[in-house]
Amino acid sequence: MADAASQVLLGSGLTILSQPLMYVKVLIQVGYEPLPPTIGRNIFGRQVCQLPGLFCYAQHIASIDGRRGLFTGLTPRLCSGVLGTVVHGKVLQYYQESEKPEELGSVTVQKEYSSSFDRVIKETTREMIARSAATLITHPFHVITLRSMVQFIGRESKYCGLCDSIVTIYREEGIVGFFAGLIPRLLGDIISLWLCNSLAYLINTYALDSGVSTMNEMKSYSQAVTGFFASMLTYPFVLVSNLMAVNNCGLAGGSPPYSSIYTSWIDCWCMLQKAGNMSRGNSLFFRKVPCGKTYCYDLRMLI
């Protein structure tokens, strides 16, 4: 119980600290660029035409809604984080308790089994089920979070309170509206998890020397590196999921010219891939303007 409470508190603290970053990221993902490009320098010192980064973007939001505005959508995101942590922990606890009777009479066999790739598959499968269950239950809060952020673009107030947002979505879209963008989000999480754990196993088993004194530290580093690599490869799923969550929901940010109207998440994927926007919002710094691309700048900033 103490471990669960500490995880909830730690997760809530990280959620609060990262809220402005996610806010900016979501607005960039839907294609909202309120500030025109400027001439800057990349990491190699060359002059490039680049879009404003995280701090300039956050400063723009704060200049309109104040610093408190940077935490728009925090309440449903906190609810999602707390509920997801509890569900994830309960699912893993269920598997651990169901495994205890099997371990009593098979200590030697279990020791050999734990070092095999089958053990990795078993643990990854359990983690996949736990994460999928948490994602499925918390996705309605995720949708509300995204829509409450995106309404900054059109200055709407359609998704302000948590209860009002739930009523609005149910009245206009039904139960299905709470799970907009769920499929690409689940697929991204599952692919990322399996890719991360498989690569980490291969590196720890075949690339690292088991005789090194810092073996445990090296394994933890390899897990972190593979996790970062997997998240980069599966980022398009995150982008498509977020776009589908706000697609045609009655907000300016979910409609043209900021965002196209998509018939399905596959249609969204194909259109983004065709336009070369699969990595939009992946970087919040050194945001170079792609050649031939146009952006919908806020006309109010140019008046």
Side-chain angles (χ1 to χ4, degrees):
M1 183 64 70
D3 292 338
S6 61
Q7 288 180 0
V8 169
L9 290 176
L10 178 61
S12 299
L14 293 176
T15 298
I16 295 173
L17 292 176
S18 64
Q19 182 66 14
L21 186 148
M22 181 183 177
Y23 193 7
V24 172
K25 194 180 191 72
V26 169
L27 293 180
I28 293 175
Q29 285 177 338
V30 299
Y32 178 62
E33 297 293 345
L35 303 174
T38 57
I39 301 298
R41 295 185 180 275
N42 58 17
I43 57 177
F44 302 105
R46 296 179 180 177
Q47 282 192 346
V48 293
C49 184
Q50 60 186 18
L51 294 166
L54 169 65
F55 298 110
C56 292
Y57 213 120
Q59 187 177 13
H60 168 72
I61 296 174
S63 66
I64 296 177
D65 289 341
R67 293 182 179 179
R68 186 177 180 181
L70 291 171
F71 296 90
T72 300
L74 178 61
T75 300
R77 192 177 175 216
L78 281 174
C79 294
S80 175
V82 172
L83 185 59
T85 301
V86 173
V87 172
H88 181 271
K90 290 294 184 181
V91 174
L92 290 181
Q93 183 180 4
Y94 168 78
Y95 280 113
Q96 290 174 356
E97 292 177 352
S98 63
E99 189 182 45
K100 286 181 181 179
E102 301 177 1
E103 293 179 344
L104 295 178
S106 57
V107 178
T108 305
V109 176
Q110 183 69 22
K111 186 176 180 180
E112 296 177 356
Y113 170 72
S114 61
S115 61
S116 66
F117 188 63
D118 292 337
R119 182 68 177 178
V120 176
I121 294 178
K122 184 176 181 179
E123 292 179 351
T124 305
T125 301
R126 292 179 176 180
E127 180 67 20
M128 178 188 69
I129 295 174
R131 288 191 185 185
S132 298
T135 299
L136 181 64
I137 293 176
T138 61
H139 193 74
F141 295 101
H142 181 66
V143 172
I144 295 174
T145 299
L146 295 176
R147 294 186 180 185
S148 62
M149 292 176 173
V150 170
Q151 66 184 1
F152 171 83
I153 298 174
R155 308 305 298 163
E156 298 105 336
S157 57
K158 189 176 181 179
Y159 301 94
C160 286
L162 181 60
C163 295
D164 291 341
S165 299
I166 293 175
V167 172
T168 299
I169 295 176
Y170 181 77
R171 183 178 63 246
E172 296 183 357
E173 304 172 52
I175 298 296
V176 179
F178 292 104
F179 299 96
L182 175 63
I183 295 178
R185 188 183 179 197
L186 280 175
L187 287 176
D189 287 344
I190 292 172
I191 295 174
S192 176
L193 175 63
W194 280 98
L195 187 61
C196 172
N197 288 2
S198 300
L199 288 176
Y201 171 79
L202 293 175
I203 293 174
N204 295 336
T205 303
Y206 301 105
L208 297 181
D209 185 2
S210 58
V212 179
S213 59
T214 58
M215 185 63 180
N216 292 332
E217 293 183 9
M218 294 291 290
K219 286 185 176 181
S220 63
Y221 292 150
S222 67
Q223 189 77 22
V225 172
T226 55
F228 176 77
F229 177 72
S231 64
M232 291 289 290
L233 289 180
T234 57
Y235 176 78
F237 289 96
V238 177
L239 176 61
V240 171
S241 174
N242 289 351
L243 290 179
M244 291 305 299
V246 301
N247 180 55
N248 198 23
C249 64
L251 298 176
S255 306
Y258 298 102
S259 179
S260 302
I261 302 299
Y262 308 109
T263 57
S264 66
W265 73 269
I266 298 178
D267 178 46
C268 177
W269 182 290
C270 293
M271 291 185 68
L272 289 175
Q273 192 172 41
K274 184 178 181 180
N277 289 331
M278 294 301 288
S279 62
R280 188 171 64 193
N282 192 20
S283 175
L284 297 179
F285 303 95
F286 304 108
R287 301 177 56 228
K288 182 180 178 181
V289 179
C291 297
K293 295 293 187 296
T294 58
Y295 292 88
C296 299
Y297 301 109
D298 192 342
L299 296 178
R300 290 169 295 181
M301 298 300 299
L302 303 178
I303 299 177

Short mmCIF file of all heavy atoms in Angstrom, two decimals, residues 259-301:
data_model
loop_
_atom_site.label_atom_id
_atom_site.label_comp_id
_atom_site.label_asym_id
_atom_site.label_seq_id
_atom_site.Cartn_x
_atom_site.Cartn_y
_atom_site.Cartn_z
N SER A 259 -6.24 21.36 -38.61
CA SER A 259 -6.22 19.91 -38.71
C SER A 259 -7.27 19.46 -39.72
O SER A 259 -8.37 20.01 -39.77
CB SER A 259 -6.52 19.27 -37.34
OG SER A 259 -6.54 17.87 -37.42
N SER A 260 -6.92 18.48 -40.52
CA SER A 260 -7.87 17.93 -41.49
C SER A 260 -8.92 17.08 -40.78
O SER A 260 -8.74 16.70 -39.62
CB SER A 260 -7.13 17.09 -42.53
OG SER A 260 -6.14 17.84 -43.20
N ILE A 261 -10.00 16.80 -41.48
CA ILE A 261 -11.02 15.89 -40.95
C ILE A 261 -10.68 14.49 -41.43
O ILE A 261 -10.64 14.22 -42.63
CB ILE A 261 -12.43 16.30 -41.42
CG1 ILE A 261 -12.72 17.75 -40.99
CG2 ILE A 261 -13.47 15.36 -40.86
CD1 ILE A 261 -12.71 17.96 -39.50
N TYR A 262 -10.43 13.58 -40.49
CA TYR A 262 -10.02 12.23 -40.83
C TYR A 262 -11.19 11.26 -40.63
O TYR A 262 -11.94 11.36 -39.66
CB TYR A 262 -8.84 11.79 -39.96
CG TYR A 262 -7.68 12.76 -39.98
CD1 TYR A 262 -7.39 13.53 -38.85
CD2 TYR A 262 -6.88 12.91 -41.11
CE1 TYR A 262 -6.33 14.43 -38.85
CE2 TYR A 262 -5.82 13.80 -41.12
CZ TYR A 262 -5.55 14.56 -39.98
OH TYR A 262 -4.51 15.44 -39.99
N THR A 263 -11.29 10.30 -41.53
CA THR A 263 -12.36 9.30 -41.43
C THR A 263 -11.98 8.16 -40.49
O THR A 263 -12.86 7.51 -39.93
CB THR A 263 -12.67 8.72 -42.82
OG1 THR A 263 -11.47 8.16 -43.38
CG2 THR A 263 -13.20 9.81 -43.74
N SER A 264 -10.69 7.94 -40.31
CA SER A 264 -10.20 6.89 -39.42
C SER A 264 -8.75 7.21 -39.06
O SER A 264 -8.13 8.09 -39.66
CB SER A 264 -10.29 5.51 -40.07
OG SER A 264 -9.41 5.42 -41.17
N TRP A 265 -8.22 6.46 -38.10
CA TRP A 265 -6.82 6.71 -37.72
C TRP A 265 -5.86 6.29 -38.83
O TRP A 265 -4.77 6.86 -38.95
CB TRP A 265 -6.50 6.01 -36.40
CG TRP A 265 -6.35 4.52 -36.48
CD1 TRP A 265 -7.32 3.57 -36.31
CD2 TRP A 265 -5.13 3.79 -36.72
NE1 TRP A 265 -6.80 2.31 -36.44
CE2 TRP A 265 -5.46 2.41 -36.68
CE3 TRP A 265 -3.82 4.16 -36.96
CZ2 TRP A 265 -4.50 1.41 -36.87
CZ3 TRP A 265 -2.85 3.17 -37.16
CH2 TRP A 265 -3.21 1.81 -37.12
N ILE A 266 -6.26 5.33 -39.64
CA ILE A 266 -5.42 4.94 -40.78
C ILE A 266 -5.39 6.05 -41.82
O ILE A 266 -4.34 6.34 -42.41
CB ILE A 266 -5.94 3.62 -41.39
CG1 ILE A 266 -5.87 2.49 -40.37
CG2 ILE A 266 -5.15 3.28 -42.66
CD1 ILE A 266 -6.40 1.17 -40.88
N ASP A 267 -6.54 6.69 -42.03
CA ASP A 267 -6.61 7.83 -42.94
C ASP A 267 -5.72 8.97 -42.44
O ASP A 267 -5.01 9.62 -43.22
CB ASP A 267 -8.05 8.30 -43.08
CG ASP A 267 -8.18 9.52 -43.97
OD1 ASP A 267 -7.57 9.53 -45.06
OD2 ASP A 267 -8.90 10.47 -43.60
N CYS A 268 -5.74 9.19 -41.13
CA CYS A 268 -4.90 10.22 -40.51
C CYS A 268 -3.42 9.88 -40.72
O CYS A 268 -2.62 10.76 -41.07
CB CYS A 268 -5.22 10.32 -39.02
SG CYS A 268 -4.20 11.49 -38.11
N TRP A 269 -3.07 8.63 -40.52
CA TRP A 269 -1.68 8.18 -40.68
C TRP A 269 -1.21 8.42 -42.12
O TRP A 269 -0.12 8.95 -42.35
CB TRP A 269 -1.58 6.70 -40.32
CG TRP A 269 -0.20 6.13 -40.40
CD1 TRP A 269 0.54 5.89 -41.52
CD2 TRP A 269 0.63 5.74 -39.30
NE1 TRP A 269 1.76 5.36 -41.21
CE2 TRP A 269 1.85 5.25 -39.85
CE3 TRP A 269 0.46 5.72 -37.91
CZ2 TRP A 269 2.87 4.76 -39.04
CZ3 TRP A 269 1.49 5.23 -37.12
CH2 TRP A 269 2.67 4.77 -37.68
N CYS A 270 -2.04 8.02 -43.07
CA CYS A 270 -1.66 8.16 -44.49
C CYS A 270 -1.50 9.62 -44.90
O CYS A 270 -0.56 9.97 -45.63
CB CYS A 270 -2.71 7.48 -45.36
SG CYS A 270 -2.79 5.68 -45.18
N MET A 271 -2.39 10.48 -44.41
CA MET A 271 -2.31 11.89 -44.77
C MET A 271 -1.09 12.55 -44.16
O MET A 271 -0.42 13.37 -44.80
CB MET A 271 -3.60 12.60 -44.33
CG MET A 271 -4.83 12.19 -45.12
SD MET A 271 -6.30 13.14 -44.69
CE MET A 271 -5.85 14.77 -45.30
N LEU A 272 -0.77 12.21 -42.93
CA LEU A 272 0.42 12.76 -42.28
C LEU A 272 1.69 12.27 -42.98
O LEU A 272 2.64 13.03 -43.17
CB LEU A 272 0.46 12.37 -40.80
CG LEU A 272 -0.56 13.05 -39.89
CD1 LEU A 272 -0.47 12.45 -38.49
CD2 LEU A 272 -0.32 14.55 -39.82
N GLN A 273 1.70 11.01 -43.33
CA GLN A 273 2.87 10.44 -44.01
C GLN A 273 3.07 11.08 -45.38
O GLN A 273 4.20 11.35 -45.80
CB GLN A 273 2.70 8.93 -44.11
CG GLN A 273 3.96 8.20 -44.54
CD GLN A 273 3.79 6.70 -44.44
OE1 GLN A 273 2.75 6.15 -44.79
NE2 GLN A 273 4.81 6.01 -43.97
N LYS A 274 1.97 11.30 -46.08
CA LYS A 274 2.04 11.91 -47.40
C LYS A 274 2.55 13.34 -47.32
O LYS A 274 3.30 13.80 -48.20
CB LYS A 274 0.66 11.87 -48.05
CG LYS A 274 0.63 12.40 -49.47
CD LYS A 274 -0.77 12.28 -50.08
CE LYS A 274 -0.79 12.79 -51.51
NZ LYS A 274 -2.15 12.68 -52.11
N ALA A 275 2.17 14.06 -46.26
CA ALA A 275 2.60 15.45 -46.09
C ALA A 275 3.95 15.57 -45.41
O ALA A 275 4.49 16.67 -45.30
CB ALA A 275 1.55 16.21 -45.28
N GLY A 276 4.52 14.45 -44.96
CA GLY A 276 5.81 14.47 -44.28
C GLY A 276 5.75 15.06 -42.89
O GLY A 276 6.72 15.67 -42.42
N ASN A 277 4.63 14.86 -42.18
CA ASN A 277 4.44 15.44 -40.85
C ASN A 277 4.39 14.39 -39.75
O ASN A 277 3.83 14.65 -38.68
CB ASN A 277 3.14 16.26 -40.81
CG ASN A 277 3.24 17.53 -41.62
OD1 ASN A 277 4.32 18.10 -41.76
ND2 ASN A 277 2.12 17.98 -42.17
N MET A 278 4.96 13.22 -39.97
CA MET A 278 4.88 12.16 -38.98
C MET A 278 5.66 12.46 -37.70
O MET A 278 5.42 11.84 -36.67
CB MET A 278 5.39 10.85 -39.58
CG MET A 278 4.52 10.32 -40.71
SD MET A 278 2.81 10.01 -40.20
CE MET A 278 3.00 8.57 -39.19
N SER A 279 6.57 13.41 -37.76
CA SER A 279 7.37 13.75 -36.57
C SER A 279 7.00 15.11 -36.00
O SER A 279 7.73 15.65 -35.18
CB SER A 279 8.86 13.72 -36.91
OG SER A 279 9.16 14.69 -37.91
N ARG A 280 5.88 15.65 -36.41
CA ARG A 280 5.47 16.98 -35.95
C ARG A 280 5.23 16.97 -34.44
O ARG A 280 4.47 16.17 -33.92
CB ARG A 280 4.19 17.41 -36.66
CG ARG A 280 3.79 18.85 -36.38
CD ARG A 280 2.65 19.27 -37.28
NE ARG A 280 1.43 18.50 -37.03
CZ ARG A 280 0.38 18.48 -37.84
NH1 ARG A 280 0.40 19.16 -38.98
NH2 ARG A 280 -0.68 17.77 -37.54
N GLY A 281 5.91 17.87 -33.75
CA GLY A 281 5.79 17.95 -32.30
C GLY A 281 6.75 17.05 -31.56
O GLY A 281 6.79 17.08 -30.32
N ASN A 282 7.54 16.27 -32.26
CA ASN A 282 8.48 15.36 -31.60
C ASN A 282 9.63 16.13 -30.95
O ASN A 282 10.17 15.71 -29.94
CB ASN A 282 9.03 14.35 -32.60
CG ASN A 282 9.77 13.22 -31.93
OD1 ASN A 282 9.59 12.96 -30.75
ND2 ASN A 282 10.61 12.53 -32.68
N SER A 283 9.99 17.25 -31.56
CA SER A 283 11.06 18.09 -31.01
C SER A 283 10.50 19.44 -30.60
O SER A 283 9.74 20.05 -31.34
CB SER A 283 12.17 18.27 -32.06
OG SER A 283 13.15 19.17 -31.59
N LEU A 284 10.88 19.88 -29.42
CA LEU A 284 10.43 21.18 -28.93
C LEU A 284 11.55 22.21 -28.98
O LEU A 284 11.36 23.36 -28.59
CB LEU A 284 9.91 21.05 -27.49
CG LEU A 284 8.69 20.14 -27.32
CD1 LEU A 284 8.29 20.07 -25.85
CD2 LEU A 284 7.53 20.61 -28.16
N PHE A 285 12.71 21.82 -29.46
CA PHE A 285 13.85 22.72 -29.61
C PHE A 285 14.41 22.56 -31.03
O PHE A 285 14.27 21.51 -31.64
CB PHE A 285 14.93 22.41 -28.57
CG PHE A 285 14.45 22.47 -27.15
CD1 PHE A 285 14.04 21.32 -26.49
CD2 PHE A 285 14.38 23.68 -26.47
CE1 PHE A 285 13.60 21.37 -25.18
CE2 PHE A 285 13.94 23.74 -25.16
CZ PHE A 285 13.55 22.59 -24.52
N PHE A 286 15.06 23.61 -31.53
CA PHE A 286 15.65 23.58 -32.89
C PHE A 286 14.61 23.12 -33.91
O PHE A 286 14.83 22.19 -34.68
CB PHE A 286 16.88 22.67 -32.92
CG PHE A 286 17.94 23.04 -31.93
CD1 PHE A 286 18.16 22.25 -30.82
CD2 PHE A 286 18.69 24.18 -32.10
CE1 PHE A 286 19.13 22.58 -29.89
CE2 PHE A 286 19.67 24.52 -31.18
CZ PHE A 286 19.88 23.73 -30.08
N ARG A 287 13.47 23.77 -33.89
CA ARG A 287 12.37 23.39 -34.77
C ARG A 287 12.54 24.08 -36.13
O ARG A 287 12.00 25.13 -36.39
CB ARG A 287 11.03 23.76 -34.12
CG ARG A 287 10.80 23.08 -32.78
CD ARG A 287 9.50 23.53 -32.14
NE ARG A 287 8.39 23.28 -33.04
CZ ARG A 287 7.46 24.19 -33.31
NH1 ARG A 287 7.51 25.40 -32.77
NH2 ARG A 287 6.46 23.89 -34.12
N LYS A 288 13.27 23.42 -37.00
CA LYS A 288 13.54 23.96 -38.33
C LYS A 288 12.27 23.90 -39.18
O LYS A 288 11.52 22.95 -39.15
CB LYS A 288 14.66 23.16 -38.99
CG LYS A 288 15.06 23.66 -40.37
CD LYS A 288 16.17 22.81 -40.95
CE LYS A 288 16.55 23.26 -42.35
NZ LYS A 288 17.62 22.42 -42.94
N VAL A 289 12.06 24.95 -39.99
CA VAL A 289 10.90 24.99 -40.89
C VAL A 289 11.18 24.08 -42.07
O VAL A 289 12.14 24.29 -42.81
CB VAL A 289 10.63 26.43 -41.39
CG1 VAL A 289 9.45 26.44 -42.34
CG2 VAL A 289 10.39 27.35 -40.21
N PRO A 290 10.35 23.05 -42.29
CA PRO A 290 10.58 22.15 -43.43
C PRO A 290 10.37 22.88 -44.75
O PRO A 290 9.54 23.79 -44.85
CB PRO A 290 9.52 21.05 -43.23
CG PRO A 290 9.12 21.16 -41.79
CD PRO A 290 9.26 22.61 -41.44
N CYS A 291 11.11 22.49 -45.75
CA CYS A 291 10.99 23.12 -47.07
C CYS A 291 9.63 22.82 -47.68
O CYS A 291 9.15 21.69 -47.65
CB CYS A 291 12.08 22.59 -48.00
SG CYS A 291 13.76 22.98 -47.46
N GLY A 292 9.01 23.86 -48.22
CA GLY A 292 7.74 23.67 -48.90
C GLY A 292 6.55 23.56 -48.00
O GLY A 292 5.44 23.33 -48.45
N LYS A 293 6.72 23.70 -46.67
CA LYS A 293 5.62 23.54 -45.74
C LYS A 293 5.07 24.91 -45.36
O LYS A 293 5.81 25.89 -45.22
CB LYS A 293 6.08 22.81 -44.47
CG LYS A 293 6.52 21.39 -44.73
CD LYS A 293 5.35 20.53 -45.15
CE LYS A 293 5.73 19.06 -45.25
NZ LYS A 293 6.69 18.76 -46.26
N THR A 294 3.77 24.99 -45.22
CA THR A 294 3.10 26.21 -44.77
C THR A 294 2.40 25.94 -43.46
O THR A 294 1.96 24.83 -43.19
CB THR A 294 2.08 26.70 -45.80
OG1 THR A 294 1.12 25.66 -46.02
CG2 THR A 294 2.75 27.06 -47.11
N TYR A 295 2.28 26.98 -42.64
CA TYR A 295 1.66 26.83 -41.33
C TYR A 295 0.58 27.87 -41.16
O TYR A 295 0.64 28.96 -41.74
CB TYR A 295 2.71 26.96 -40.21
CG TYR A 295 3.70 25.82 -40.19
CD1 TYR A 295 4.86 25.88 -40.96
CD2 TYR A 295 3.46 24.70 -39.42
CE1 TYR A 295 5.77 24.82 -40.94
CE2 TYR A 295 4.36 23.64 -39.39
CZ TYR A 295 5.51 23.71 -40.15
OH TYR A 295 6.39 22.67 -40.14
N CYS A 296 -0.39 27.53 -40.31
CA CYS A 296 -1.51 28.42 -40.05
C CYS A 296 -1.17 29.30 -38.85
O CYS A 296 -1.35 28.86 -37.70
CB CYS A 296 -2.79 27.61 -39.78
SG CYS A 296 -3.27 26.58 -41.15
N TYR A 297 -0.65 30.46 -39.10
CA TYR A 297 -0.31 31.35 -38.02
C TYR A 297 -1.55 32.08 -37.53
O TYR A 297 -2.49 32.31 -38.28
CB TYR A 297 0.74 32.38 -38.46
CG TYR A 297 2.01 31.74 -38.95
CD1 TYR A 297 2.36 31.76 -40.29
CD2 TYR A 297 2.84 31.09 -38.06
CE1 TYR A 297 3.52 31.15 -40.74
CE2 TYR A 297 4.02 30.48 -38.50
CZ TYR A 297 4.34 30.52 -39.83
OH TYR A 297 5.49 29.91 -40.27
N ASP A 298 -1.53 32.42 -36.24
CA ASP A 298 -2.65 33.14 -35.65
C ASP A 298 -2.67 34.55 -36.22
O ASP A 298 -1.74 35.33 -36.01
CB ASP A 298 -2.47 33.17 -34.11
CG ASP A 298 -3.72 33.63 -33.42
OD1 ASP A 298 -4.57 34.22 -34.09
OD2 ASP A 298 -3.84 33.39 -32.20
N LEU A 299 -3.70 34.89 -36.95
CA LEU A 299 -3.80 36.20 -37.61
C LEU A 299 -3.79 37.33 -36.61
O LEU A 299 -3.37 38.45 -36.91
CB LEU A 299 -5.04 36.26 -38.49
CG LEU A 299 -5.07 35.27 -39.66
CD1 LEU A 299 -6.39 35.41 -40.42
CD2 LEU A 299 -3.90 35.50 -40.60
N ARG A 300 -4.25 37.05 -35.39
CA ARG A 300 -4.29 38.11 -34.38
C ARG A 300 -2.89 38.58 -33.99
O ARG A 300 -2.71 39.67 -33.49
CB ARG A 300 -5.03 37.62 -33.14
CG ARG A 300 -6.53 37.43 -33.36
CD ARG A 300 -7.16 36.69 -32.20
NE ARG A 300 -6.64 35.33 -32.10
CZ ARG A 300 -7.05 34.47 -31.17
NH1 ARG A 300 -7.94 34.81 -30.29
NH2 ARG A 300 -6.55 33.25 -31.14
N MET A 301 -1.89 37.71 -34.18
CA MET A 301 -0.51 38.08 -33.85
C MET A 301 0.08 38.99 -34.92
O MET A 301 1.12 39.62 -34.70
CB MET A 301 0.35 36.82 -33.70
CG MET A 301 -0.09 35.89 -32.58
SD MET A 301 -0.04 36.70 -30.97
CE MET A 301 1.69 37.11 -30.87
#
